[in-house]
Amino acid sequence: METDSNKDGALQAVQDEPEAAHDRDARPDGRDETEDERADRRWGELLQELRVAQTGMQILFGFLLAVVFQPRFTELNDVDHAIFVVTVGFGAATVGALIGPVALHRLVSGKGLKPQTVTIASHMTFTGLLLLFCTMVMVLLLILRVALHDTLAFWLVAGMAVWIAAWWFAIPLWARHRAHRMSRR
């Protein structure tokens, strides 16, 4: 049976379609990408997010490390010393969580684990953001306690904590929930 080259190409495409469909993720977001392509894209996006968070944390942690060497540090009362120690602890934990994805990637790179690596690194990054939130709140508390010497510091920090939590967590979670609801329609 003779067929022209156009028909052979179409026939071959039809025969290859189930395999191609198996290799590609049928995604509701309209992306036509394999699991590995999706992992590569998500890894690139995560790296961009980490660059922002790591830079901010490096500046903040550098500030915290320098505070102890300032002359006024010895004038802090016991409560403020305790706040400082807890803040440095949060800062160190934050640095660990935000640099963790880099170490993870380096240790498993080339082992065929990119999708799993992206998922684990995403969890590390979210943990790092939670710890960064705690670090920022504690830094604000320490600074405002030293600056104001009264209970107004607590209320200002509480207000700022709510503000940051809204922008970092509440609004994104609301958007995620809304998108999920819209996709079920």
Side-chain angles (χ1 to χ4, degrees), residues 26-47:
R27 302 209 16 101
D29 62 5
R31 293 186 188 270
D32 183 27
E33 55 192 6
T34 65
E35 183 180 13
D36 287 338
E37 289 169 337
R38 181 171 183 253
D40 288 340
R41 176 183 54 80
R42 290 182 64 218
W43 181 254
E45 291 171 354
L46 185 61
L47 284 179

Side-chain angles (χ1 to χ4, degrees), residues 56-72:
M57 188 57 218
Q58 287 170 345
I59 293 167
L60 185 58
F61 198 56
F63 161 77
L64 287 172
L65 295 178
V67 165
V68 75
F69 298 106
Q70 301 303 311
R72 284 197 61 202

Side-chain angles (χ1 to χ4, degrees), residues 166-167 169-183:
W167 287 103
F169 305 112
I171 292 171
L173 288 172
W174 169 80
R176 180 179 173 175
H177 175 73
R178 184 171 181 225
H180 180 71
R181 265 195 354 220
M182 303 270 301
S183 70

